[in-house]
Amino acid sequence: MGDRVKILKILAVLALFCAFLQGKNLEYVLIKKGVPSDNTMLLIGGIQGDEPGGFLAASIVATDYNITKGSLWVVPNLNFPSIIQRSRGTKGDMNRKFAHIDRGDPDYDAVMRIKDVITDKNVSIILNLHDGSGYYRDTFINKDENPDKWGNTCIIDQSSLKGARYENLEGVAARVRDVINAHLLDAKHAYHIKNTHTALGDKEMLKSLTYYAVTQGKSAFANEASKNLNAEQRTYYHLLAIEEYMRVAGIEFTRPFALNVKEVKKAIEKEIRLSLFDDAFVLNIHNLKGSLNFVPLKKGELRYSSSNPLIAVLKDGNGYKVQYGNRFVTKLNPQYFEYAPVLKDIALVADGKQISAKSGDKISLKNSFKILKIPGVRVNIIGYSDKSGDEAGEEIAKKQMSGSYAVDKDNRVYRVEFYRNDGGADKFAGMILVEFK
């Protein structure tokens, strides 16, 4: 069983990596974690793109959580176009298209695909993540705290669902509510259960994803974090809810950080790897400058992959913009080259120690580095000027680098590019990053 779990984990990571190739159509991804089971929890974020707490929490679970028992499926970016545009829905509210959707609707394919996932025989419990306005209260207190608000609630469509694996919807929601309320940042953030009694005639909720799931006999819930909170606070409350719903489903897990707002913020802002053309050109999506010039690309369709499902690279005028969810990261301004096979063995000396690297690696060092000569290959250290044209064999310290050419705002990370001479023409053969700590 141990070897089987390891193989499944490896396959899940490979599926995650490959699924992010080509964000051209911004289709959502389905990430399967754990061991296949007929008691699978489906976690959904990003049905509405102006609710970052939900899709950030789902993406953290998809990338950072290790499922040690049970089965979890995660869709962190259900309505990816609306996430990119920071809108509730680019073609109307997707969460109002589950009772009926026209074939000509741009959301048709996504809605029909997620319906198939919801009705999969292995899915037994569904959690849809939202950020809602204000703070729900049973009675009117003020404009931010009243029965019309949705923030900080455990949402159910009805109290129970006969025949479902988890029939007592209200009991499960109460359990989650109580756990969240034991870990509040402020008493004002107290969670409540909001039962929409959808079947009794709530015209809007009748069209929703969770009610569609209920009509299919699935135990379905929504978790709302208040839009009055910042992104990391919302994400914190979503993670508290997600973890308790996982426990309800018998799912066991580990995570590489403590569950508090400070650590959640770090998880949101951690380095994320972006690879273009199979590691020919690589960036770490953290603290990048708003524009990077002379990025060596080849003409034609841009191919990219990322370790995070919220990364997208989109055509923007003569260049490409990189997005992390609804956050703009940087713009890539290309210089076009033909490509040679990327280098797999790059010898360099970092702080006096010889090491080996391959295209796409980042090398951290303190004082200086030197790229050893590679026959037939020219080295171009972006930010260092040498009239020879080939900067291999030269020892470079940070003081010799021009900060305006660094890729990061702190002027510590620089590109080292490699070009193979082929018939008198330079062909791009890969790059590494060097970071001065």
Side-chain angles (χ1 to χ4, degrees), residues 33-188:
K33 302 172 74 74
V35 178
S37 165
D38 64 356
N39 183 24
T40 293
M41 175 173 159
L42 173 61
L43 174 65
I44 299 171
I47 194 170
Q48 291 156 341
D50 59 349
E51 300 179 1
F55 59 74
L56 287 170
S59 73
I60 288 172
V61 172
T63 57
D64 290 9
Y65 278 57
N66 179 32
I67 304 303
T68 57
K69 180 181 178 183
S71 175
L72 176 70
W73 293 359
V74 188
V75 175
N77 54 355
L78 181 57
N79 194 349
F80 209 171
S82 77
I83 291 174
I84 296 298
Q85 295 187 23
R86 203 185 289 256
S87 69
R88 187 170 182 84
T90 58
K91 302 297 180 182
D93 187 346
M94 184 186 282
N95 201 35
R96 296 295 179 265
K97 298 181 180 182
F98 284 82
H100 171 77
I101 184 169
D102 293 329
R103 281 189 171 272
D105 192 304
D107 291 331
Y108 180 83
D109 287 342
V111 169
M112 299 309 292
R113 284 175 58 217
I114 198 63
K115 280 186 173 183
D116 287 342
V117 177
I118 290 168
T119 56
D120 188 284
K121 62 183 178 62
N122 289 318
V123 172
S124 60
I125 182 169
I126 297 159
L127 177 60
N128 196 14
L129 305 179
H130 292 270
D131 297 346
S133 61
Y135 300 96
Y136 171 78
R137 299 292 186 261
D138 294 327
T139 58
F140 185 91
I141 298 174
N142 55 50
K143 64 180 182 64
D144 279 338
E145 300 174 76
N146 61 67
D148 292 330
K149 298 302 180 183
W150 291 80
N152 284 28
T153 50
C154 300
I155 306 291
I156 52 175
D157 289 281
Q158 55 199 54
S159 296
S160 61
L161 181 59
K162 188 175 181 179
R165 185 182 288 264
Y166 304 97
E167 289 190 0
N168 187 2
L169 303 181
E170 188 162 1
V172 171
R175 170 176 165 174
V176 173
R177 174 203 61 196
D178 292 345
V179 167
I180 297 174
N181 286 343
H183 297 87
L184 295 176
L185 304 173
D186 187 294
K188 186 177 181 178

Side-chain angles (χ1 to χ4, degrees), residues 362-379:
K362 185 174 79 168
I363 309 300
S364 294
L365 50 93
K366 185 177 180 181
N367 297 313
S368 64
F369 71 96
K370 177 171 62 175
I371 306 297
L372 301 186
K373 288 186 177 294
I374 306 171
V377 173
R378 179 176 68 86
V379 176

Side-chain angles (χ1 to χ4, degrees), residues 144-269:
D144 279 338
E145 300 174 76
N146 61 67
D148 292 330
K149 298 302 180 183
W150 291 80
N152 284 28
T153 50
C154 300
I155 306 291
I156 52 175
D157 289 281
Q158 55 199 54
S159 296
S160 61
L161 181 59
K162 188 175 181 179
R165 185 182 288 264
Y166 304 97
E167 289 190 0
N168 187 2
L169 303 181
E170 188 162 1
V172 171
R175 170 176 165 174
V176 173
R177 174 203 61 196
D178 292 345
V179 167
I180 297 174
N181 286 343
H183 297 87
L184 295 176
L185 304 173
D186 187 294
K188 186 177 181 178
H189 301 167
Y191 263 68
H192 295 75
I193 294 173
K194 185 166 185 171
N195 187 341
T196 58
H197 300 288
T198 303
L200 299 182
D202 188 317
K203 292 182 179 179
E204 292 302 306
M205 292 303 293
L206 285 167
K207 308 170 189 175
S208 69
L209 181 152
T210 53
Y211 188 65
Y212 172 77
V214 165
T215 66
Q216 304 303 306
K218 307 287 185 173
S219 307
F221 306 84
N223 193 74
E224 300 255 4
S226 176
K227 291 182 178 180
N228 291 32
L229 305 172
N230 62 34
E232 55 265 28
Q233 291 171 328
R234 299 184 205 182
T235 305
Y236 165 74
Y237 283 127
H238 280 307
L239 291 175
L240 282 171
I242 292 166
E243 292 189 359
E244 193 57 26
Y245 280 108
M246 286 199 289
R247 293 186 187 101
V248 168
I251 297 170
E252 297 178 7
F253 57 89
T254 60
R255 51 176 148 71
F257 58 88
L259 189 46
N260 58 59
V261 172
K262 182 179 179 181
E263 292 300 310
V264 168
K265 182 176 173 64
K266 288 181 182 179
I268 293 171
E269 297 177 353

Side-chain angles (χ1 to χ4, degrees), residues 316-336:
D316 184 38
N318 293 324
Y320 297 87
K321 68 175 181 177
V322 180
Q323 292 270 150
Y324 173 29
N326 55 23
R327 302 181 183 187
F328 170 80
V329 176
T330 191
K331 182 172 181 181
L332 307 179
N333 299 304
Q335 183 177 14
Y336 291 103

Side-chain angles (χ1 to χ4, degrees), residues 284-289 329 407-411:
N284 290 290
I285 306 301
H286 176 67
N287 201 35
L288 288 179
K289 289 182 177 177
V329 176
V407 300
D408 67 318
K409 295 174 184 176
D410 296 329
N411 297 335

Side-chain angles (χ1 to χ4, degrees), residues 293-298 333-337 339 417 419:
N293 296 323
F294 307 110
V295 176
L297 300 180
K298 59 181 175 181
N333 299 304
Q335 183 177 14
Y336 291 103
F337 289 90
Y339 274 29
E417 299 177 353
Y419 294 85

